[in-house]
Amino acid sequence: MPPIPVIAVTGYLGAGKTSLLNHVLRTPHARIGVVVNDFGDINVDAGLVSGQVDEPASIAGGCICCLPDDGELDAALARLADPKLRLDAIIVEASGLADPVSIARMVGFSGVSGVRDGGVVDVVDAVNHADRVDDGGIPPARYGAATLVVVNKLDLVPESDRDAVVRHIESRVRQRNPRAQVVGAVDGRIDPSLLYDVASAQDESGQLSFRDVLFEAETQTHDHVHADAVTVTSSGDVDPLALVELLENPPPGVYRMKGTVAVRQRSARRRLDVNVVGSAVHVARASSRTPANCLVAIGMHLDTPAVRAAVTAALRPTTAPPSAAAARRLQRHLHS
């Protein structure tokens, strides 16, 4: 079973973290594990969460970044990583007072097997962010930890000013973190495919359930801007250097990449599962025996022809022996 992405959701008090969480939890067929401080604010409510993961994992004692080093977060992640739950993702919703840098460190350095870093989503209040968080001096350190910044509550900004607000926050974020993606939203409604894959949809069949009806109504009344996806396939072994260059430097606008690729290392052929979120690259021995190479690039407002060309170039088959430098660069991202 491939490792489960652990996605941290951070944001200042009132920015809309819980709205975003509620929205992604309503993705049809998704199985999401949740780690929060207090389920009282999740208005889907804990019923939908517990219905998906058997029992929610709750962190006691306040701000999640201030937990003692007693493995409490790791214990919650280990519990949710149980293969029997067949989760598509685990979301850690941090307190509004939590430091995204600390959250990113805790998730990134987790020793739990069966999980991987799924990025840090920082939710920003489009109206009050400048007064409460970013006063225009040195960009806040929290920008450096984020992989995705969601500029929320755009419905409270005059329509003529919305693009300018998003561009301004994006320029501030990029001063601290050139790799972060920035997307505007209302009520936290982002495309869930930016965060995770829905792997268990094929398990759902038969009569339409109450939850399915709820999801259909939600989709009709609370739409979001859909992410773009570009899929490229090839056969044969690819150049490890071309692959790692693509993974470390995705095309503009690409937030996630996923897939399975074959590379030639010395005299052996190795199939690899690859996952990229922001600057985090995760490579592991392939869990499937699918013979073809396949990579999917996901992001917002992609230049589709340019992205397709870049991914196609990286997946071009080669018979040349891999260089030692390319093998070392790929090995740095390899997880056993």
Side-chain angles (χ1 to χ4, degrees):
M1 180 177 174
I4 304 167
V6 178
I7 303 151
V9 177
T10 64
Y12 203 77
L13 294 167
K17 300 183 303 299
T18 301
S19 295
L20 184 146
L21 178 58
N22 286 326
H23 171 67
V24 299
L25 283 176
R26 292 176 181 268
T27 305
H29 309 294
R31 299 180 63 87
I32 310 300
V34 182
V35 180
V36 296
N37 289 316
D38 181 3
F39 276 94
D41 290 334
I42 301 181
N43 58 25
V44 278
D45 281 359
L48 273 184
V49 181
S50 61
Q52 290 173 310
V53 302
D54 184 38
E55 187 177 352
S58 182
I59 293 293
C63 178
I64 204 168
C65 71
C66 299
L67 287 174
D69 294 327
D70 61 1
E72 191 175 358
L73 178 60
D74 278 359
L77 295 180
R79 180 174 157 202
L80 292 171
D82 186 337
K84 290 182 296 191
L85 297 177
R86 296 179 296 115
L87 295 184
D88 301 305
I90 299 171
I91 297 178
V92 178
E93 188 198 16
S95 158
L97 299 177
D99 174 19
V101 178
S102 299
I103 296 293
R105 187 176 298 117
M106 291 176 69
V107 172
F109 288 95
S110 170
V112 176
S113 62
V115 301
R116 65 174 173 82
D117 185 357
V120 176
V121 180
D122 196 29
V123 185
V124 166
D125 181 338
V127 177
N128 298 308
H129 186 66
D131 295 328
R132 296 181 179 177
V133 181
D134 186 354
D135 62 5
I138 298 174
R142 66 186 305 124
Y143 294 159
T147 52
L148 178 67
V149 176
V150 178
V151 183
N152 196 31
K153 300 187 175 182
L154 281 177
D155 55 320
L156 302 182
V157 175
E159 188 170 358
S160 59
D161 297 336
R162 292 174 189 174
D163 287 346
V165 168
V166 174
R167 285 197 303 269
H168 172 71
I169 293 175
E170 182 175 15
S171 70
R172 297 287 294 167
V173 170
R174 293 286 167 79
Q175 290 178 49
R176 175 76 73 167
N177 184 355
R179 292 290 296 274
Q181 297 288 320
V182 181
V183 60
V186 172
D187 293 332
R189 299 197 300 267
I190 64 171
D191 190 334
S193 68
L194 289 172
L195 306 184
Y196 54 79
D197 305 323
V198 180
S200 51
Q202 65 270 24
D203 298 333
E204 303 286 342
S205 61
Q207 187 174 352
L208 198 65
S209 69
F210 172 77
R211 288 179 70 235
D212 292 325
V213 174
L214 173 65
F215 292 145
E216 282 192 353
E218 183 81 3
T219 301
Q220 291 170 4
T221 58
H222 296 292
D223 202 8
H224 52 251
V225 177
H226 289 276
D228 300 321
V230 175
T231 302
V232 175
T233 60
S234 73
S235 58
D237 301 336
V238 307
D239 179 2
L241 182 58
L243 176 64
V244 78
E245 286 282 358
L246 176 72
L247 301 181
E248 292 179 350
N249 301 285
V254 172
Y255 178 63
R256 289 179 56 213
M257 283 192 291
K258 59 174 183 171
T260 303
V261 180
V263 297
R264 177 70 61 179
Q265 292 189 318
R266 298 178 184 173
S267 59
R269 187 177 199 245
R270 176 180 284 188
R271 292 197 62 75
L272 301 172
D273 287 334
V274 300
N275 282 279
V276 177
V277 179
S279 60
V281 179
H282 186 283
V283 179
R285 294 181 185 275
S287 56
S288 69
R289 298 183 180 275
T290 305
N293 302 312
C294 180
L295 271 183
V296 182
I298 301 167
M300 298 295 296
H301 311 299
L302 298 182
D303 181 342
T304 298
V307 172
R308 187 177 302 280
V311 178
T312 298
L315 293 190
R316 188 169 293 126
T318 181
T319 57
S323 68
R328 285 195 299 270
R329 283 181 65 184
L330 192 58
Q331 187 69 29
R332 285 203 301 266
H333 301 298
L334 190 65
H335 293 69
S336 58

